[in-house]
Amino acid sequence: MAKQQRSGPVRDREVTEEREELDERVVNIARVAKVIKGGRRFAFRVTAVVGDNRGHVGVGVGKSRAVPDAIRQATDRARRAMKKVNLAGTTIPHVVESKFGGAIIFMRPAAPGTGVIAGGGVRAVLEAAGVRDILTKSKGSSNPLNVVRATIQGLGMLTDPQAQADKRGQPVEKVLPFWSRKHVQ
């Protein structure tokens, strides 16, 4: 019996085009162990970040006995978990501090040309989200998974400058950082 050929558009090309524009980064690869009757069974846990550099970012965790399988699983989960991030140009609209587990991340908007002042997992998340100018400080636990999740949580806490201005009853220019204002009296 012969297999039937499908006629129509090729889906593989659409998928590869979509993946090419996404920024995928592996943040951490950790070897984890499960104790069983005969000893220990080792696996690999991978933390990956996926973003489009235009305000969308997601984090995923994959676990498998082989590293390539764990990486594939983590990036697929990160792609499905992508969320929108409110940005103000190349930076964030306001100061934010977030806590996840024992990791505390402090993020402050920065003037254009400052760059991403961050380390490790925080840098990966911010660059994948499209942030180009920011100051950060990581306090508490340095566990890469908790640091990445705290950063994602902090980016989710950011409010839109227009919504913040409406809430305060002020013009948008007064809410934005001083370097992006246009002559406010």
Side-chain angles (χ1 to χ4, degrees):
M1 238 166 118
K3 287 188 177 179
Q4 290 182 342
Q5 291 285 332
R6 282 188 177 182
S7 61
V10 179
R11 284 204 162 275
D12 291 336
R13 271 191 233 133
E14 294 171 14
V15 172
T16 54
E17 286 175 11
E18 180 185 321
R19 287 187 183 183
E20 284 176 8
E21 62 188 57
L22 293 178
D23 184 10
E24 296 179 355
R25 296 173 189 233
V26 174
V27 176
N28 183 27
I29 300 176
R31 191 178 82 163
V32 294
K34 176 183 179 182
V35 179
I36 57 171
K37 188 168 71 173
R40 294 186 190 96
R41 177 166 288 161
F42 293 104
F44 294 94
R45 185 193 70 204
V46 173
T47 307
V49 174
V50 174
D52 65 354
N53 296 318
R54 291 188 304 266
H56 292 86
V57 68
V59 64
V61 178
K63 195 186 291 184
S64 177
R65 300 281 301 272
V67 175
D69 294 339
I71 291 173
R72 191 176 317 107
Q73 190 179 70
T75 53
D76 287 346
R77 287 181 178 174
R79 197 173 289 111
R80 283 196 301 263
M82 284 179 69
K83 293 181 181 169
K84 174 120 178 62
V85 176
N86 288 315
L87 300 177
T90 60
T91 188
I92 58 175
H94 56 84
V95 174
V96 68
E97 185 173 79
S98 64
K99 184 176 191 299
F100 189 94
I104 303 165
I105 303 296
F106 175 78
M107 294 182 273
R108 172 173 291 195
T114 304
V116 178
I117 310 298
V122 180
R123 175 179 288 272
V125 172
L126 293 172
E127 287 180 349
V131 178
R132 296 287 163 256
D133 303 300
I134 192 167
L135 303 169
T136 66
K137 179 66 185 167
S138 177
K139 299 181 269 190
S141 171
S142 60
N143 178 343
L145 182 56
N146 284 347
V147 167
V148 167
R149 286 189 170 160
T151 307
I152 290 283
Q153 185 179 13
L155 291 175
M157 291 163 60
L158 295 173
T159 58
D160 182 44
Q162 182 64 48
Q164 193 69 23
D166 293 343
K167 187 176 176 183
R168 294 183 191 177
Q170 295 179 337
V172 180
E173 289 79 23
K174 277 202 159 189
V175 176
L176 291 173
F178 70 89
W179 54 83
S180 60
R181 294 181 189 163
K182 297 182 179 55
H183 304 298
V184 177
Q185 280 127 357

